[in-house]
């Protein structure tokens, strides 16, 4: 029996490549799932059906994470439908590619709202129950751009770097409560919407010579979520783009 079996998880951005791959692995481990989505309802609902047909438990949960009230409302909805939340994977994000002179105030506000504020507010809503039960897993999905600046734009890089600070802040305060807080920092994953159709030209930027795959990211995420002693870490999975 997997250590996570029977736990309740919310995976935001579950309609995309990384979120979907991780959701399938969590379902196989016996986790009861809420699949968060924003603009791709059909994909999230199709994944929920796929998981249920395979014998798992999954629901789709829509939320506009650019709205300040949405993260806490989504956590409350999930807990009403599935029970207390044990695992939060903040994977949803926006990546509007801009060069630095072209980043508008609206671009910056949207990136910070979805990529940084929403994960923090979702954690704030979920953590009290985790602390009370002395078990919790929080995993933020960041990006190699938080280390290198990346190619999407300064608004994106800044929003992802903020997740690293939140990981450090929360993990030290929650370690004795049975709650781990970590982040992963992928780079250039092929089967996502972010860089669709650009694999060949982007592969030249990566020492490994290819883009990563969502299932590779999901495998790393699962290893972190299953580990109760690992906390406060930001783990890169980037084909060697930022060795450290």
């Amino acid at each position: 029996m997997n250590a996570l079996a029977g736990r309740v998880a919310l995976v935001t951005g579950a309609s995309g490549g990384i979120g979907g791959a991780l959701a399938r692995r969590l379902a196989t481990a016996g986790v009861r799932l809420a699949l968060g989505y924003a603009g791709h309802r059909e994909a999230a609902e199709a994944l929920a059906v796929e998981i249920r047909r395979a014998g798992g438990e999954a629901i789709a949960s829509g939320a506009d994470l650019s709205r300040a009230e949405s993260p806490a409302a989504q956590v409350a909805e999930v807990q009403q439908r599935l029970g207390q939340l044990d695992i939060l994977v903040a994977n949803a994000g926006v990546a509007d590619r801009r060069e630095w002179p072209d980043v508008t105030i609206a671009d910056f506000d949207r990136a910070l709202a979805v990529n940084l504020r929403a994960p923090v507010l979702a954690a704030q809503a979920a953590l009290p129950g985790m602390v009370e039960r002395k078990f919790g897993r929080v995993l933020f999905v960041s990006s190699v751009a938080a280390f290198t600046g990346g190619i999407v734009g300064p608004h994106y890089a800044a929003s992802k770097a903020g997740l690293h600070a939140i990981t450090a802040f929360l993990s030290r305060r929650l370690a004795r409560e049975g709650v781990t807080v970590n982040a992963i920092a992928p780079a250039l994953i092929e089967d996502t919407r972010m860089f669709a159709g650009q694999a060949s030209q982007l592969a030249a930027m990566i020492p490994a010579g290819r883009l990563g795959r969502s299932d590779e990211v999901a495998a790393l995420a699962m290893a972190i979520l299953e580990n109760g002693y690992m906390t406060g870490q930001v783990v890169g999975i980037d084909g060697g783009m930022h060795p450290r």
Side-chain angles (χ1 to χ4, degrees):
M1 182 69 71
N2 189 284
L4 301 181
R7 299 291 185 180
V8 175
L10 167 61
V11 180
T12 68
S15 62
I18 293 172
L22 178 55
R24 289 181 179 91
R25 284 179 176 263
L26 287 167
T28 300
V31 175
R32 303 165 63 214
L33 282 162
L35 309 175
Y37 68 88
H40 298 89
R41 177 178 179 176
E42 290 184 359
E45 290 184 341
L47 179 57
V49 170
E50 174 190 327
I51 289 170
R52 291 196 295 267
R53 285 177 176 169
E57 185 174 356
I59 62 171
S61 172
D64 178 0
L65 296 180
S66 67
R67 299 173 62 88
E69 66 274 15
S70 290
Q74 184 173 45
V75 169
E77 180 217 355
V78 170
Q79 295 191 140
Q80 183 178 24
R81 296 175 68 184
L82 293 179
Q84 289 294 311
L85 198 61
D86 302 300
I87 302 164
L88 171 65
V89 180
N91 170 67
V94 293
D96 300 316
R97 197 166 178 179
R98 303 278 191 274
E99 281 301 325
W100 63 266
D102 303 320
V103 178
T104 66
I105 293 172
D107 293 332
F108 232 112
D109 286 349
R110 183 166 181 257
L112 292 175
V114 177
N115 298 355
L116 179 57
R117 185 182 69 189
V120 173
L121 294 179
Q124 190 178 51
L127 283 170
M130 296 181 184
V131 170
E132 182 179 352
R133 295 185 306 281
K134 300 298 181 182
F135 180 92
R137 300 285 185 269
V138 177
L139 181 64
F140 298 121
V141 179
S142 176
S143 168
V144 71
F147 296 115
T148 67
I151 62 174
V152 177
H155 53 317
Y156 180 79
S159 68
K160 293 299 189 178
L163 292 174
H164 300 184
I166 296 300
T167 298
F169 183 91
L170 291 176
S171 61
R172 294 183 65 86
R173 289 159 174 79
L174 296 166
R176 291 182 182 270
E177 306 295 339
V179 179
T180 67
V181 184
N182 294 287
I184 55 175
L188 302 176
I189 306 303
E190 64 183 6
D191 43 351
T192 68
R193 299 184 185 98
M194 188 182 298
F195 298 111
Q198 298 177 275
S200 58
Q201 65 188 84
L202 294 174
M205 302 170 54
I206 306 171
R210 66 170 176 87
L211 274 64
R213 296 186 291 270
S214 289
D215 199 56
E216 292 173 319
V217 181
L220 173 62
M222 280 297 296
I224 293 171
L225 293 172
E226 290 171 342
N227 193 315
Y229 195 58
M230 180 178 181
T231 194
Q233 304 302 307
V234 179
V235 185
I237 176 165
D238 56 23
M241 290 186 72
H242 185 65
R244 57 194 186 282

